[in-house]
Amino acid sequence: MNRTEYNTCVDRFSDNVYRFILKACHNKELAEDIVQDSFLTLWEHVQEITMEKAKAFLFTTSYRRMIDIFRREKKNSDIEQVDSDAVYREISCPDLQEILDRALSKLPPVQKTLILLRDYEDYSYKEIADITSLSESQVKVYIFRARNYLKEFIRKPDLIV
């Protein structure tokens, strides 16, 4: 890949990678840092990666970087924990997007990531398996379970804890 192709990758994929990471971590600054790190990593490997593989490389790199950060934060977490559900309890009549966001936040991290990649970013099961290092059948099972949970949550958002 040459400099022009790299710049094309930045133009074509930066918004998608940012949206995916932001939806997964709900932190604008962290998402920006992860995207920047991913593109830096792409630049460091620019001679090894073809234009066709750049998108998958960026999503894989950003996903793994996000997981590493979450693991490090969990290991070094403070005693104080912010109750993100308290924000939702104050809303009297949430719209569907808010209910869906709340449901997504309650999914296990792996299922949430798979739903974001499949339904928000429109990746194939094979591409998701490559990005997350899961088997294709595991991806399908996790997505099935996550969608069932989301469906039940949307039906009765106040009953599911």
Side-chain angles (χ1 to χ4, degrees):
M1 178 184 319
N2 60 34
R3 182 178 292 215
T4 305
E5 291 173 329
Y6 175 82
N7 289 335
T8 301
C9 286
V10 171
D11 292 338
R12 288 178 57 197
F13 307 132
S14 60
D15 289 341
N16 294 344
V17 174
Y18 174 75
R19 206 173 39 249
F20 165 65
I21 295 298
L22 180 63
K23 199 76 169 164
C25 72
H26 300 288
N27 183 326
K28 183 180 177 186
E29 291 80 20
L30 179 61
E32 290 170 352
D33 288 346
I34 290 172
V35 171
Q36 186 173 3
D37 287 349
S38 298
F39 277 99
L40 178 63
T41 305
L42 176 63
W43 181 252
E44 291 169 351
H45 295 93
V46 75
Q47 298 301 323
E48 306 156 20
I49 299 168
T50 64
M51 183 73 169
E52 296 78 32
K53 300 285 184 181
K55 184 177 180 183
F57 178 86
L58 286 167
F59 273 87
T60 303
T61 303
S62 61
Y63 170 73
R64 290 182 179 159
R65 175 80 174 121
M66 179 184 67
I67 295 300
D68 288 345
I69 290 170
F70 286 165
R71 285 182 183 148
R72 192 174 331 118
E73 285 179 0
K74 186 175 182 181
K75 193 170 156 182
N76 301 326
S77 66
D78 293 336
I79 295 173
E80 286 184 52
Q81 294 292 327
V82 176
D83 185 8
S84 62
D85 291 338
V87 174
Y88 292 113
R89 278 183 242 136
E90 294 173 9
I91 299 172
S92 59
C93 185
D95 66 356
L96 182 58
Q97 185 61 48
E98 291 170 350
I99 293 171
L100 190 56
D101 288 342
R102 190 176 351 157
L104 277 172
S105 72
K106 293 187 181 289
L107 284 174
V110 172
Q111 289 181 4
K112 180 179 180 180
T113 299
L114 298 177
I115 287 291
L116 291 173
L117 288 171
R118 179 71 181 161
D119 295 334
Y120 284 75
E121 298 298 331
D122 203 31
Y123 271 99
S124 70
Y125 292 116
K126 171 111 177 71
E127 291 171 321
I128 295 170
D130 291 341
I131 289 171
T132 58
S133 301
L134 297 170
S135 72
E136 201 170 330
S137 60
Q138 285 176 309
V139 168
K140 290 177 182 178
V141 168
Y142 286 149
I143 288 175
F144 175 79
R145 290 177 182 165
R147 286 179 177 160
N148 280 342
Y149 177 83
L150 294 173
K151 183 171 44 174
E152 288 303 312
F153 191 94
I154 289 171
R155 283 186 189 154
K156 301 172 187 173
D158 296 334
L159 299 179
I160 297 180
V161 179

